[in-house]
């Protein structure tokens, strides 16, 4: 993979999407209107995807769980995602987390702007990074924070208001490390590999990054997307969905389908780096977020990303005559990610042999 030039960010929008939505109740600026046939007509009749639920209590036991492993393998190699249940994080805790996220986005703008990200960098509060004059913007504001390793956190971006925010996010981060380990081991076992086969490549220097997403009410859901179609550049992504507003869609068999909400579940999807490690057996799904003219939506995505120096490549045992190697060895996969993403291309194309 060629070394990409670092992204150069153009002048950000003067207003957050939340401000736009509050002042402009009937229309949206041209910059947010999607161009071309970027995924078909946006009407509101998308079929619901049947995302398999996987019991993490069963996956975590090293002896039991054959049926659960098969369910995992089959889900990750078809739709590329699962609803993780019994993952050891209580519903009450997930509700607290949703509540501090809601309280943060409800703060007055001047309070939120204390945590604004700096131009050219992703961490902090703000909206879409603009890399080209032609870029269609996403109808979303975000708070982006590195969770781990802990010494990589930039605390100045971690809200002090609401007061419980930092403590709850820290606790969530600790709990997710366990969930990620269970998953990566189970993924290997489900393919009859030694259980640390993916975990070794994932490495012990991996970072986890949290992205709180606010999707304000949008007057033109027929024309505007919350997040344009993309696949994640992570190894895996764990999404805490909004409890009520169902606007995430996945491309399955060339059709956009809605992801149902299970309030106590974590929606976990394969990212490009696990697609590469599994030699394409596990699929990193294309997904997008539609907008909503009635309800705002808040989600929390956590991306689990191998260290940039870590080499990622298909696991040897998965390369056979019947399924030859499909991807090159890659390093620092995330660095080209934004440029491809903003151009609406799939970064994984760069890794294909
Ligand atoms: O908010 C969502 O439902 C999904 C967000 C997403 O795809 C992302 O942040 O990569
Ligand atoms: Fe995503």
């Amino acid at each position: 993979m060629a070394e990409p030039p670092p992204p150069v960010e153009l002048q950000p929008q003067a207003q957050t999407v939340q401000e736009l939505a509050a002042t402009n109740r009937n229309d949206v600026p041209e910059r947010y209107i999607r161009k071309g046939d970027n995924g078909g007509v946006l009407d509101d009749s998308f079929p619901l995807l049947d995302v398999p639920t996987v019991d993490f209590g069963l996956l975590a036991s090293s002896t039991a769980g054959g049926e659960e492993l098969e369910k995992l393998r089959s889900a990750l190699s078809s739709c590329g995602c699962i609803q993780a249940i019994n993952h050891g994080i209580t519903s009450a805790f997930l509700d607290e987390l949703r509540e501090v996220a809601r309280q943060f986005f409800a703060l007055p703008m001047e309070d939120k702007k204390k945590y604004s990200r700096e131009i050219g960098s992703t961490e902090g509060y703000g909206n879409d990074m603009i890399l080209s004059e032609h870029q269609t913007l996403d109808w979303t504001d975000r708070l982006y924070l590195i969770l781990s390793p802990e010494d990589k956190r930039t605390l100045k971006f971690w809200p002090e208001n609401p007061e419980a925010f930092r403590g709850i996010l820290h606790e969530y981060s600790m709990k997710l490390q366990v969930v990620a380990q269970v998953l990566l081991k189970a993924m290997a076992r489900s393919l009859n590999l030694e259980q640390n086969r993916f975990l070794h490549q994932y490495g012990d220097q991996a970072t986890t990054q949290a992205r709180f997403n606010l999707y304000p009410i949008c007057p033109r859901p027929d024309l505007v997307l919350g997040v344009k179609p993309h696949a994640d550049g992570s190894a895996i992504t764990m999404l805490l969905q909004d409890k009520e507003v169902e606007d995430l869609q996945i491309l399955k068999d060339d059709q956009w389908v809605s992801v149902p909400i299970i309030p106590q579940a974590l929606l976990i999807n394969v990212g490009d780096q696990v697609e590469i490690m599994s030699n394409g057996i596990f699929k990193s799904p294309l997904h997008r977020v539609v907008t909503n003219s009635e309800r705002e939506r808040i989600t929390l995505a956590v991306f689990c990303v191998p260290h940039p120096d870590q080499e990622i490549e298909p696991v040897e045992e998965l390369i056979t005559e019947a399924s030859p190697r499909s991807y090159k060895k890659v390093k620092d996969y995330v660095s080209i990610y934004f440029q491809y993403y903003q151009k609406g291309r799939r970064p994984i194309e760069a890794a294909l042999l």
Side-chain angles (χ1 to χ4, degrees), residues 51-69:
V51 181
T53 54
V54 175
D55 183 324
F56 270 51
L58 293 176
L59 288 190
S61 112
S62 53
T63 47
E67 213 175 287
E68 223 53 25
L69 285 177

CSV table of all heavy atoms in Angstrom, one decimal, residues 51-69:
chain,number,residue,atom,x,y,z
A,51,VAL,N,-30.5,-9.7,12.1
A,51,VAL,CA,-29.1,-9.8,12.6
A,51,VAL,C,-29.1,-10.8,13.7
A,51,VAL,O,-29.7,-10.6,14.8
A,51,VAL,CB,-28.6,-8.4,13.2
A,51,VAL,CG1,-27.2,-8.5,13.7
A,51,VAL,CG2,-28.7,-7.4,12.1
A,52,PRO,N,-28.3,-11.9,13.6
A,52,PRO,CA,-28.3,-12.9,14.6
A,52,PRO,C,-27.8,-12.4,16.0
A,52,PRO,O,-26.9,-11.6,16.0
A,52,PRO,CB,-27.3,-14.0,14.1
A,52,PRO,CG,-27.3,-13.7,12.6
A,52,PRO,CD,-27.5,-12.3,12.4
A,53,THR,N,-28.5,-12.9,17.1
A,53,THR,CA,-28.0,-12.5,18.4
A,53,THR,C,-27.0,-13.6,18.8
A,53,THR,O,-27.2,-14.8,18.6
A,53,THR,CB,-29.1,-12.5,19.4
A,53,THR,OG1,-29.8,-13.7,19.3
A,53,THR,CG2,-30.1,-11.4,19.2
A,54,VAL,N,-25.9,-13.2,19.4
A,54,VAL,CA,-24.9,-14.2,19.8
A,54,VAL,C,-24.6,-14.0,21.3
A,54,VAL,O,-24.4,-12.9,21.8
A,54,VAL,CB,-23.6,-14.0,19.0
A,54,VAL,CG1,-22.5,-14.9,19.6
A,54,VAL,CG2,-23.8,-14.3,17.6
A,55,ASP,N,-24.7,-15.1,22.1
A,55,ASP,CA,-24.6,-15.1,23.5
A,55,ASP,C,-23.1,-15.1,23.9
A,55,ASP,O,-22.4,-16.1,23.7
A,55,ASP,CB,-25.3,-16.3,24.1
A,55,ASP,CG,-25.3,-16.3,25.6
A,55,ASP,OD1,-24.3,-15.9,26.2
A,55,ASP,OD2,-26.3,-16.7,26.2
A,56,PHE,N,-22.6,-14.0,24.5
A,56,PHE,CA,-21.2,-13.9,24.8
A,56,PHE,C,-20.8,-14.7,26.0
A,56,PHE,O,-19.6,-15.0,26.2
A,56,PHE,CB,-20.7,-12.5,24.9
A,56,PHE,CG,-20.3,-11.9,23.6
A,56,PHE,CD1,-21.1,-12.1,22.4
A,56,PHE,CD2,-19.0,-11.3,23.4
A,56,PHE,CE1,-20.7,-11.6,21.2
A,56,PHE,CE2,-18.6,-10.8,22.2
A,56,PHE,CZ,-19.4,-11.0,21.1
A,57,GLY,N,-21.8,-15.0,26.8
A,57,GLY,CA,-21.5,-15.9,28.0
A,57,GLY,C,-21.1,-17.3,27.5
A,57,GLY,O,-20.2,-17.9,27.9
A,58,LEU,N,-21.8,-17.7,26.4
A,58,LEU,CA,-21.4,-19.0,25.8
A,58,LEU,C,-20.1,-19.0,25.1
A,58,LEU,O,-19.3,-19.9,25.2
A,58,LEU,CB,-22.6,-19.5,24.9
A,58,LEU,CG,-23.9,-19.8,25.5
A,58,LEU,CD1,-24.9,-20.2,24.4
A,58,LEU,CD2,-23.7,-21.0,26.5
A,59,LEU,N,-19.9,-17.9,24.4
A,59,LEU,CA,-18.6,-17.8,23.6
A,59,LEU,C,-17.4,-17.8,24.5
A,59,LEU,O,-16.3,-18.3,24.2
A,59,LEU,CB,-18.6,-16.5,22.8
A,59,LEU,CG,-19.5,-16.3,21.6
A,59,LEU,CD1,-19.1,-15.0,20.8
A,59,LEU,CD2,-19.4,-17.5,20.7
A,60,ALA,N,-17.6,-17.2,25.7
A,60,ALA,CA,-16.5,-17.0,26.6
A,60,ALA,C,-16.0,-18.3,27.3
A,60,ALA,O,-14.9,-18.5,27.7
A,60,ALA,CB,-16.8,-16.0,27.7
A,61,SER,N,-16.9,-19.3,27.3
A,61,SER,CA,-16.5,-20.6,27.9
A,61,SER,C,-15.7,-21.4,26.8
A,61,SER,O,-16.2,-21.5,25.7
A,61,SER,CB,-17.8,-21.4,28.3
A,61,SER,OG,-18.0,-22.5,27.6
A,62,SER,N,-14.6,-21.9,27.2
A,62,SER,CA,-13.7,-22.4,26.2
A,62,SER,C,-14.1,-23.8,25.7
A,62,SER,O,-13.7,-24.4,24.7
A,62,SER,CB,-12.2,-22.5,26.7
A,62,SER,OG,-12.2,-23.1,27.9
A,63,THR,N,-15.0,-24.4,26.5
A,63,THR,CA,-15.5,-25.8,26.1
A,63,THR,C,-16.8,-25.8,25.4
A,63,THR,O,-17.0,-26.3,24.3
A,63,THR,CB,-15.6,-26.7,27.4
A,63,THR,OG1,-16.3,-26.0,28.4
A,63,THR,CG2,-14.2,-27.1,27.9
A,64,ALA,N,-17.8,-25.1,26.1
A,64,ALA,CA,-19.2,-25.1,25.5
A,64,ALA,C,-19.2,-24.1,24.3
A,64,ALA,O,-18.2,-23.5,23.9
A,64,ALA,CB,-20.2,-24.7,26.5
A,65,GLY,N,-20.4,-24.1,23.7
A,65,GLY,CA,-20.6,-23.0,22.7
A,65,GLY,C,-20.4,-23.4,21.2
A,65,GLY,O,-20.3,-22.5,20.4
A,66,GLY,N,-20.4,-24.7,20.9
A,66,GLY,CA,-20.2,-25.1,19.5
A,66,GLY,C,-21.3,-24.5,18.6
A,66,GLY,O,-21.0,-23.9,17.5
A,67,GLU,N,-22.5,-24.5,19.1
A,67,GLU,CA,-23.6,-24.0,18.3
A,67,GLU,C,-23.5,-22.4,18.1
A,67,GLU,O,-23.7,-21.9,17.1
A,67,GLU,CB,-24.9,-24.3,19.0
A,67,GLU,CG,-26.1,-24.5,18.1
A,67,GLU,CD,-27.3,-25.0,19.0
A,67,GLU,OE1,-27.2,-26.1,19.5
A,67,GLU,OE2,-28.2,-24.1,19.1
A,68,GLU,N,-23.0,-21.8,19.3
A,68,GLU,CA,-22.9,-20.4,19.3
A,68,GLU,C,-21.7,-19.9,18.3
A,68,GLU,O,-21.8,-18.9,17.6
A,68,GLU,CB,-22.6,-19.9,20.7
A,68,GLU,CG,-23.3,-18.7,21.1
A,68,GLU,CD,-24.8,-18.7,20.9
A,68,GLU,OE1,-25.4,-19.8,20.9
A,68,GLU,OE2,-25.5,-17.6,20.8
A,69,LEU,N,-20.7,-20.7,18.3
A,69,LEU,CA,-19.5,-20.4,17.4
A,69,LEU,C,-20.0,-20.5,16.0
A,69,LEU,O,-19.6,-19.7,15.1
A,69,LEU,CB,-18.4,-21.4,17.6
A,69,LEU,CG,-17.6,-21.3,18.9
A,69,LEU,CD1,-16.5,-22.4,19.0
A,69,LEU,CD2,-16.9,-19.9,18.9
